[in-house]
Amino acid sequence: MEYRRRRQLLRVRGRSIAWVVPLVLLVAIVLLDLNTTERFRIISWIVLVPGIAAAICGVWTTAGFALVSVVTYVVVDSAWPGEYQAGLADFVLVALGGALATLASAVRVRREQEMLHVLDVAETTRRTVLRPLPPDWAGLEHAGVYLAADFDARVGGDFYDIQPGPHGTRVLVGDVQGKGLGAVEAAAALLGTFREAGYHEADLLTVAERLEVRMRRHRLHTAALG
């Protein structure tokens, strides 16, 4: 997921460095404002600092940058003669921008937490339907990567399994026609049947017939549900 990849980019040795970006912007704006003429006052651009923080930092960090931006604005603007000061209007802009940035950060963090929870549920579902297999399970060396069509969903209609038993090792690889929860349910039904029939039945034809019957029963059930 894009959010998790972005979090990794903003970490060094496990610690977040997202705060560096708005801090560098803050320092740059202050230095530029203090080292230019009165015709190029840009201290009000400091409203961008909490805005950037809202996109990549946590709520409290964003609130901290909002507060620091307001204080910095007052200090830097007061360093100029009265006729060159940005004034109250820009102060209100910076204060309001910081408040809105903090609110936006809270909304963003909450949505990301909800999304991570959904991804965890999807990952749990995938591991339940497609059980993890040891590298050399049942005398077979194997490796696989599961990539659902919808990456964020983490689970789809593709399925596979290796089932050791008294009649040998059986391997099943398949793809359910369709997508979404219906495809996952069908894959789970077939895998459950395969794990039992593949172990107990000596004839592969019987295993295939059991899978066919299970698929028909599943279709009857889904049709009855509409």
Side-chain angles (χ1 to χ4, degrees), residues 193 196-197 201 205-215:
T193 299
E196 291 302 311
E201 301 294 344
L205 180 60
T206 304
V207 176
E209 290 174 348
R210 290 275 299 273
L211 290 171
E212 179 67 19
V213 171
R214 183 66 183 92
M215 194 68 244

Side-chain angles (χ1 to χ4, degrees), residues 61-82:
T61 302
T62 302
F65 274 112
L67 180 60
V68 169
S69 296
V70 171
V71 174
T72 302
Y73 172 87
V74 172
V75 173
V76 174
D77 198 42
S78 299
W80 286 83

Side-chain angles (χ1 to χ4, degrees), residues 183-195:
V184 177
E185 291 176 344
L190 291 173
L191 284 170
T193 299
F194 170 74
R195 288 164 187 162

